[in-house]
Amino acid sequence: MTNFNSITEVAEKIKNDLLAQNDKKSIALLYAFNAVGKTRLSVEFDGLNDNEDGYIKVLSYNAFLEDLFIWNNDEYILKFDSNHWAIKLITAQGLENNIIDNFKLITNSKIEPKFDFTAGAVTFDIARGDESSASNIKISKSEESLLVWSIFYSILEIVIEALNTKEEDRSTETFNHLEYIVIDDPVSSIDDERIISLAVKLFEVVKTSINKKINFLITTHHALFFNVLFNSIKKLSKSDAKKYFYIFSKSDNDLILDKQEDDSPFAYHILVKDKIKEAIANDALEKYHFNLFRVLLEKTANFLGYIHWSDCILDEEIKDEIERVVNLYSHSKLSELEGGSLSNTDKELLAQAFNSFTEDFKYQ
């Protein structure tokens, strides 16, 4: 755990960690508590683009990218600046269909964006092929955020594909000097049921990067998003990537960066515990909470040297049943856990097991 006086110092520490080894790609995953300065941290990296040569050294997804897209509630149009380099790249690379496909995949809906790059506008239709079809519809804030993410994600795919090839064979030279890809909280305003699939897709594209000069920083305040990425990144072999996991917090005037080794007990279990506790209190338990509970059990078992996570369930009356249900939900593919309401019986089972666990192991 290290204390810092400024966001700039924190950014420099993370940069130094990422650049410590140049024989493999580096990936940093950071959980930041609210109002610590997570977005300002991403802006510190953006500053590397202010170089004399005009090279793009940092590709960022953050609140500033989202601010380039403005919703017009009178006309149901999402406006954007046609002169922005990202829009020019989309048109030059013909990424419009990629964006539409990615958007429809992650929203799992019939909503289809229609781009007018000359006017700098996106409208939205519902194409069902019958009388229920509709044109120029209003979309939710969540869907707006997912479109912006789909735009960035489509660019990210083409960037990584280009940088995985020899420089002379690349489809674009725009990113020949790229050093960092920084992704700051793409789950803002997005429903929990979409977060798992977004995290899985993000990890898939990060995993495909083989360019050793590219360093990734992913930050979030969302416990579920962090959990999925943490467990996915941790499974990468040490020969594939150098991995860093941080918790970023604030105490009085000090900024605290707590770096964890990928094979050590991880303080994130406190965040998982709080999320499950909140869901029980609000009667908002869903299938993925069983997966979170398994994470908490596994981390506790590893820390105490137990052979199996079920050894942390001391209530013999429910041990077999909770093990069965946890396995049922957490062994499915992550994408299958997106939504799914629970029966009252399963909710009561999880609440009983969780409350017994926290009492038995003195979690406060």
Side-chain angles (χ1 to χ4, degrees):
M1 182 180 296
T2 308
N3 290 28
F4 299 91
N5 295 317
S6 69
I7 293 290
T8 300
E9 292 179 3
V10 176
E12 287 302 317
K13 168 59 178 172
I14 295 174
K15 289 175 189 175
N16 290 336
D17 284 349
L18 290 172
L19 296 173
Q21 295 188 17
N22 57 12
D23 61 336
K24 64 185 73 174
K25 66 183 175 187
S26 294
I27 305 171
L29 177 64
L30 179 145
Y31 182 93
F33 292 90
N34 288 333
V36 174
K38 175 174 55 58
T39 298
R40 286 185 289 138
L41 181 63
S42 70
V43 173
E44 287 288 334
F45 280 81
D46 283 347
L48 294 174
N49 286 332
D50 298 329
N51 55 79
E52 294 181 357
D53 298 317
Y55 294 140
I56 295 179
K57 294 187 175 182
V58 182
L59 177 64
S60 289
Y61 178 93
N62 55 30
F64 293 96
L65 178 63
E66 289 189 327
D67 288 345
L68 292 174
F69 298 84
I70 302 172
W71 179 256
N72 183 320
N73 206 38
D74 294 325
E75 302 179 66
Y76 293 174
I77 292 175
L78 189 64
K79 301 287 291 183
F80 58 84
D81 181 4
S82 296
N83 293 317
H84 191 270
W85 68 263
I87 304 301
K88 292 181 177 179
L89 181 69
I90 290 168
T91 55
Q93 295 292 316
L95 298 181
E96 180 180 353
N97 289 335
N98 299 54
I99 295 169
I100 294 171
D101 289 344
N102 283 323
F103 175 77
K104 293 172 72 173
L105 179 64
I106 200 169
T107 58
N108 191 29
S109 73
K110 298 290 186 179
I111 299 174
E112 184 161 327
K114 294 178 65 177
F115 288 86
D116 185 336
F117 292 105
T118 303
V122 190
T123 55
F124 299 86
D125 297 343
I126 295 181
R128 293 195 176 100
D130 55 31
E131 64 276 2
S132 63
S133 299
S135 299
N136 197 25
I137 65 168
K138 179 180 174 63
I139 62 170
S140 67
K141 182 63 178 176
S142 172
E143 289 160 343
E144 181 183 331
S145 294
L146 287 171
L147 178 70
V148 178
W149 169 252
S150 299
I151 290 171
F152 176 84
Y153 183 83
S154 299
I155 293 173
L156 180 61
E157 286 183 310
I158 199 74
V159 167
I160 290 179
E161 180 182 350
L163 296 181
N164 282 348
T165 63
K166 294 180 180 179
E167 191 168 317
E168 60 269 22
D169 296 330
R170 292 173 183 171
S171 60
T172 175
E173 300 178 356
T174 305
F175 299 98
N176 282 359
H177 300 276
L178 193 69
E179 297 176 4
Y180 298 94
I181 295 173
V182 179
I183 299 169
D184 174 38
D185 236 359
V187 294
S188 176
S189 302
I190 296 175
D191 299 335
D192 278 2
E193 65 182 25
R194 307 296 178 206
I195 285 173
I196 291 178
S197 58
L198 191 152
V200 170
K201 290 288 289 181
L202 173 58
F203 172 72
E204 286 176 354
V205 75
V206 169
K207 186 172 65 173
T208 64
S209 175
I210 60 174
N211 191 309
K212 298 174 182 178
K213 295 181 180 179
I214 305 303
N215 304 288
F216 294 87
L217 171 62
I218 305 170
T219 72
T220 186
H221 76 289
H222 198 285
L224 177 60
F225 183 72
F226 184 91
N227 175 63
V228 175
L229 281 174
F230 173 77
N231 285 289
S232 298
I233 294 171
K234 189 173 66 171
K235 292 177 183 177
L236 289 174
S237 69
K238 293 183 178 180
S239 61
D240 288 336
K242 179 63 178 175
K243 298 162 283 186
Y244 299 91
F245 303 106
Y246 306 99
I247 293 182
F248 187 31
S249 58
K250 188 175 183 180
S251 178
D252 296 326
N253 294 322
D254 288 341
L255 297 171
I256 301 169
L257 191 67
D258 187 5
K259 184 170 74 171
Q260 305 287 327
E261 296 300 327
D262 61 354
D263 57 351
S264 68
F266 195 57
Y268 172 68
H269 67 272
I270 300 299
L271 307 174
V272 173
K273 181 210 69 171
D274 289 344
K275 185 169 184 66
I276 298 173
K277 184 177 180 180
E278 180 185 6
I280 292 173
N282 296 329
D283 190 24
L285 287 171
E286 296 185 32
K287 289 181 180 179
Y288 73 81
H289 287 102
F290 277 97
N291 196 36
L292 291 184
F293 188 38
R294 183 190 179 104
V295 171
L296 185 58
L297 292 168
E298 287 177 339
K299 292 186 182 302
T300 304
N302 289 338
F303 181 71
L304 296 176
Y306 292 171
I307 295 175
H308 193 264
W309 59 263
S310 62
D311 294 334
C312 295
I313 303 294
L314 305 185
D315 188 339
E316 293 294 337
E317 292 185 0
I318 63 171
K319 184 171 183 174
D320 290 344
E321 182 63 10
I322 191 67
E323 184 174 5
R324 182 189 70 81
V325 180
V326 167
N327 283 331
L328 174 66
Y329 293 135
S330 63
H331 280 175
S332 302
K333 293 181 180 179
L334 288 173
S335 59
E336 294 172 352
L337 295 174
E338 288 182 28
S341 58
L342 294 173
S343 67
N344 288 333
T345 300
D346 282 351
K347 288 182 180 180
E348 291 169 3
L349 176 66
L350 179 53
Q352 182 181 350
F354 174 79
N355 290 332
S356 296
F357 167 78
T358 54
E359 182 177 344
D360 289 337
F361 290 92
K362 311 303 179 186
Y363 278 93
Q364 300 299 322

